[in-house]
Amino acid sequence: MRKLVLFLIVLVSLSACQNSHNKEVRKQKEELVAIDLDDIIKRGKIRVITDYNSTNYFVYKGRPLGYQLELLQALSNTLGLKLEIVVSNDVEKNFASLLEGKVDLIATNLTITRDRSHQVAFTEPHCITRQVLVQQKPSPDNNPSSAQELIRNQIDLGGKTVYVQENSAYVSRLKSLGNEIGDSIHIVEIPDYEVEQLIALVASGEIPYTVCDENLARINLNFYDNLDIETAVSFPQKIAWAVRPNANNFKDIVDNWLINFKKTNQYKRIYRKYFINKRSNHLVDANFHSIKGGVVSDYDAIIKEESAKYNLDWRLIAALIYQESRFLPEVKSWAGAVGLMQLMPQTAESFGVEEITSPKDNIQGGLKFLIWLDKRFAEDISDPDERLKFVLAAYNVGPGHVEDAMRLAEKNDKDPHKWDDSVDYYLLNKSKPSFYNDPVVKYGYCRGEEPFHYVSDILERYTHYKNVLND
């Protein structure tokens, strides 16, 4: 009888704890920022946080790439919304940013766990992988006294020290594994290192072991041929994105999109590109990888040197040069523009360019032209960020056509000093007779679609460069 009473007391206590936990979860959900699909559509863009590594998001030879980036681009294109990406490798900060309404979606390789499900709502999984142990292969070059044998049995992790990213799913998995094998695994959580940085430390011998998702680990074998990743420490696990628990409509549309998109050839191509191909195209030359080499082009040093003379962000100029020439100094357009910054011969002459195909001379001339354009628009447009859009458009199509679009905007009661949804609209439509034949237009027909996309493409690329390249 006494045992029964004690059992009932424990049962009631557990039930009370569970009820208290459920109330706390409900309270947290009620206090969440209320931002759902309608608000996102009204805003016109999806705000996303992702992590920066050699698979999810990076720049290679000036081009933004990544598994998560390509999925997000496909999603935003389907929804007809712009994509705003911020970068963070801190799991807890990412959760906080989501719950505080700073972003709408965490687009990383999040392992679905019960604990995390109390904080966020997971989407349909975008892939399935397992956690593996990353260790060095034994090598004849190793000091025989310090050489370690490969761990193949999880039991042999007992007593070993494993370094993992702080607050990651790897921590909880290793704790569970320690209980399963009945031995202690010494887990060291590293707060300021991302998974790939820990992989690099294993490769260099600075730490003995780390744990990583298998698909990411396999990519890193392209960089470190002395690593072994064949020992699994988990069963296959679902990997997903996360949204706020109260963003039900947004979650539904993302879930439905993922379910359908994973059936397409486009998704299969993206997944093969980043996780299956033995040596993906973006790994051909690690020097040009933003993580491994940090080099955008062969001309980074010149771009940085010349940009500094005018207090310009070299990443902006690199984004423009990529748009103009893909960093090919000998390229010549159908219209006769030449070099890295695609200068017309008369423009090059006006700004004192001696050798138009010389990378340095061409960049110097292009920067002088940009500064000249900036001064031309400075009197009317005081905000430098807003003025930049006008300057870029003018660099592409000439200031006259941009000023025509400004006059059209003013005539139609729009702000002639605002680019988005104002001047950009009239420049875009300047190929139509009803626009270029208007009396306020001085420079006639313009194929406006090109400068319209030119501005948005460069600014988008510039944002990517700022996300992953040091200034």
Side-chain angles (χ1 to χ4, degrees):
M1 184 69 179
R2 186 177 178 183
K3 290 182 179 179
L4 178 60
V5 171
L6 289 173
F7 173 75
L8 290 174
I9 291 173
V10 171
L11 189 63
V12 170
S13 177
L14 289 173
S15 177
C17 289
Q18 184 62 45
N19 288 335
S20 175
H21 174 73
N22 291 339
K23 286 180 181 179
E24 183 63 27
V25 170
R26 284 196 298 271
K27 182 182 178 183
Q28 288 175 353
K29 289 184 177 180
E30 289 170 0
E31 293 175 350
L32 285 175
V33 176
I35 301 173
D36 207 341
L37 181 62
D38 288 344
D39 305 290
I40 295 170
I41 292 174
K42 185 177 180 180
R43 187 201 303 144
K45 63 183 176 183
I46 308 172
R47 298 179 303 194
V48 181
I49 197 162
T50 192
D51 51 358
Y52 171 44
N53 60 41
S54 65
T55 305
N56 284 343
Y57 180 56
F58 57 93
V59 169
Y60 179 70
K61 289 192 173 180
R63 182 184 173 195
L65 291 170
Y67 171 72
Q68 299 291 356
L69 177 62
E70 292 201 36
L71 291 189
L72 291 167
Q73 288 172 332
L75 172 63
S76 64
N77 289 338
T78 300
L79 299 181
L81 298 170
K82 292 181 180 178
L83 180 63
E84 179 180 286
I85 293 180
V86 294
V87 175
S88 169
N89 291 347
D90 188 310
V91 179
E92 288 302 305
K93 285 184 180 179
N94 293 351
F95 275 49
S97 294
L98 179 69
L99 299 177
E100 292 167 7
K102 295 178 181 177
V103 297
D104 308 306
L105 181 69
I106 300 176
T108 59
N109 293 343
L110 288 172
T111 304
I112 299 176
T113 66
R114 284 184 182 178
D115 289 342
R116 287 176 170 179
S117 296
H118 294 316
Q119 293 181 269
V120 300
F122 287 106
T123 66
E124 172 75 13
H126 58 76
C127 68
I128 295 176
T129 188
R130 61 180 184 169
Q131 296 178 21
V132 296
L133 184 71
V134 180
Q135 56 188 325
Q136 267 199 19
K137 296 176 182 176
S139 168
D141 298 330
N142 288 342
N143 184 332
S145 63
S146 62
Q148 62 183 31
E149 293 185 4
L150 287 174
I151 289 179
R152 283 288 177 258
N153 192 322
Q154 296 171 358
I155 292 175
D156 293 332
L157 275 172
K160 299 294 193 297
T161 299
V162 183
Y163 295 76
V164 291
Q165 185 182 16
E166 187 179 45
N167 296 318
S168 64
Y170 312 127
V171 178
S172 56
R173 176 56 202 147
L174 286 172
K175 288 179 180 178
S176 297
L177 183 59
N179 289 330
E180 292 165 15
I181 66 175
D183 203 345
S184 296
I185 300 174
H186 305 299
I187 305 167
V188 180
E189 295 186 56
I190 306 297
D192 299 322
Y193 275 66
E194 200 267 335
V195 176
E196 288 192 312
Q197 292 175 296
L198 295 176
I199 293 174
L201 292 180
V202 175
S204 65
E206 295 179 57
I207 61 175
Y209 308 103
T210 190
V211 170
C212 178
D213 290 337
E214 184 176 22
N215 48 17
L216 180 59
R218 293 207 175 278
I219 290 295
N220 276 268
L221 292 182
N222 290 300
F223 297 119
Y224 310 110
D225 58 8
N226 66 331
L227 293 181
D228 177 271
I229 61 166
E230 299 305 317
T231 303
V233 297
S234 79
F235 293 108
Q237 297 175 314
K238 295 177 180 178
I239 306 297
W241 294 341
V243 300
R244 278 179 298 279
N246 60 347
N248 298 319
N249 294 333
F250 182 54
K251 181 181 183 306
D252 287 344
I253 202 165
V254 173
D255 282 345
N256 289 330
W257 177 81
L258 278 167
I259 290 168
N260 291 307
F261 187 69
K262 286 190 295 182
K263 299 174 184 176
T264 66
N265 289 330
Q266 183 181 0
Y267 172 78
K268 294 172 184 174
R269 177 189 60 78
I270 293 171
Y271 191 86
R272 283 196 304 268
K273 177 179 179 180
Y274 293 103
F275 296 126
I276 296 178
N277 288 356
K278 178 64 177 175
R279 194 156 182 85
S280 300
N281 291 333
H282 63 276
L283 299 175
V284 171
D285 190 336
N287 286 332
F288 291 96
H289 197 295
S290 58
I291 290 179
K292 303 304 176 184
V295 175
V296 177
S297 74
D298 289 325
Y299 309 102
D300 285 9
I302 299 174
I303 297 171
K304 291 176 183 179
E305 179 185 354
E306 297 302 324
S307 298
K309 293 177 181 178
Y310 301 99
N311 198 28
L312 294 171
D313 189 333
W314 78 274
R315 296 168 297 186
L316 170 64
I317 305 307
L320 185 152
I321 292 174
Y322 179 91
Q323 186 77 16
E324 289 287 353
S325 65
R326 302 298 191 270
F327 301 113
L328 300 173
E330 302 291 337
V331 71
K332 185 174 182 180
S333 77
W334 64 271
V338 179
L340 290 173
M341 295 191 73
Q342 287 292 277
L343 295 178
M344 294 296 289
Q346 56 268 37
T347 304
E349 185 178 353
S350 299
F351 291 101
V353 175
E354 295 182 4
E355 179 54 59
I356 197 169
T357 58
S358 160
K360 187 165 187 174
D361 287 1
N362 195 280
I363 291 172
Q364 287 175 342
L367 291 179
K368 288 177 182 177
F369 185 31
L370 282 171
I371 296 301
W372 180 83
L373 289 170
D374 186 72
K375 289 179 179 177
R376 179 163 176 161
F377 288 103
E379 185 175 341
D380 293 324
I381 308 168
S382 58
D383 182 351
D385 292 332
E386 189 66 27
R387 188 166 67 246
L388 175 61
K389 301 169 187 176
F390 289 77
V391 170
L392 291 175
Y395 189 92
N396 175 259
V397 78
H401 289 299
V402 176
E403 289 163 351
D404 276 348
M406 294 171 71
R407 285 187 285 269
L408 284 168
E410 186 172 27
K411 181 178 179 178
N412 289 278
D413 298 322
K414 294 286 187 177
D415 187 346
H417 307 133
K418 180 176 178 291
W419 181 257
D420 295 325
D421 302 317
S422 185
V423 175
D424 66 342
Y425 170 81
Y426 293 97
L427 185 58
L428 174 65
N429 287 282
K430 206 165 176 273
S431 59
K432 299 177 181 178
S434 59
F435 285 76
Y436 68 73
N437 286 327
D438 191 287
V440 301
V441 171
K442 296 181 180 180
Y443 293 90
Y445 171 88
C446 169
R447 191 173 63 185
E449 187 175 354
E450 183 178 338
F452 176 85
H453 291 297
Y454 181 89
V455 173
S456 60
D457 287 349
I458 289 177
L459 291 179
E460 180 182 347
R461 187 174 300 108
Y462 177 39
T463 299
H464 290 307
Y465 286 7
K466 287 191 291 184
N467 280 340
V468 303
L469 298 170
N470 294 327
D471 59 0

